[in-house]
Amino acid sequence: MGTRRKPGTGLPAPYLRRISWARPDDPRPKDYPFSLPYLDDPGWNVEFTTPVTIIMGENGSGKSTLIEAIAGLAGYDETGGGKGYRPVDHSTAIAVSGTQLAEHLRAAWLPKITAGWFFRAETFWAVARYLDDLPGGGPDFLSHSHGEGFLRVFGERCRAQGLYLMDEPESALSPAGQMDLVELLADIQETGSAQVILATHSPILMAVPGARLLQVTRLGLADIALEETRHFKLYRAFCQDPHGVIAEELRERRVEREAD
């Protein structure tokens, strides 16, 4: 009997090329996440054109929900991990809105490569414990700090061709750790060996060379330069005059509270 070959492709990433409404003209629920402004458009879609795509936006803009929806389309557990993983007790887990959204979406692949991983900082320890407890001895991710373990999981998993999703990984990483992640992402972007779609608030992670940076707006997702993001402008102003920026910000907040 011959050796069974693992499914794969010689084509470079991206593999997931587009997501859109499965049935644009059908009525959809009115509650969240369908109430997000950018989902009002029946022609709404997102194109993926680079191996690494970075999505930024303010809290509540829907960027994390979009990552969750893509995870659902790829067949990953909504709480993190890869296919077939059930690292979190779903009987007590909070419902993930992205899963509801995924049921209404269509994905276009070239080709369909859905091996990979969904990295969520808030559920990382549950996923790591799940892996460490596998029969025969796991990879021992829990012997590392949160950030070190996170980078180790990502570095090891992303050696294989696949689709890798990340939701605000900076919450698990120091600035130096974020630079380590940028190095990994830059290599993926350069080689096209995998596809990464990442949601972040971090200007450091937004600066991956060659990656496409998209901003979530009321009208959809739009290309934006790092230097034009509100996040970068705030960090730049802080670095130029940290004490002055903090003093002005606190003053404005006091005025707003008094006005209320």
Side-chain angles (χ1 to χ4, degrees), residues 203 229-240 245 249:
T229 65
R230 182 176 181 272
H231 302 65
F232 176 84
K233 292 177 180 179
L234 178 58
Y235 273 64
R236 179 173 58 188
F238 174 81
C239 290
Q240 291 173 343
V245 167
E249 184 69 21

Side-chain angles (χ1 to χ4, degrees), residues 210-247:
R212 187 182 184 194
L213 180 59
L214 296 173
Q215 180 179 26
V216 180
T217 71
R218 294 182 60 85
L219 300 179
L221 274 71
D223 291 281
I224 188 171
L226 169 66
E227 294 79 6
E228 295 302 315
T229 65
R230 182 176 181 272
H231 302 65
F232 176 84
K233 292 177 180 179
L234 178 58
Y235 273 64
R236 179 173 58 188
F238 174 81
C239 290
Q240 291 173 343
D241 182 16
H243 301 293
V245 167
I246 293 299

Side-chain angles (χ1 to χ4, degrees), residues 4 12 64 67-69 83 94-95 98 104 107-108 115 123 148 161-162 165 171 173 203 211 217 225 235 239 248 250:
R4 184 178 180 182
S64 293
I67 295 291
E68 293 163 1
K83 280 192 172 181
I94 298 175
H104 293 260
T123 58
E148 290 172 339
Q161 188 177 72
L165 309 172
S171 62
L173 300 171
T217 71
Y235 273 64
C239 290
E248 178 63 18
L250 293 177

Side-chain angles (χ1 to χ4, degrees), residues 8 23 36 47 61-62 68 82 95 142 147 154 176:
R23 296 169 295 278
L36 287 166
E47 304 274 353
S61 63
E68 293 163 1
L142 292 179
F154 187 71

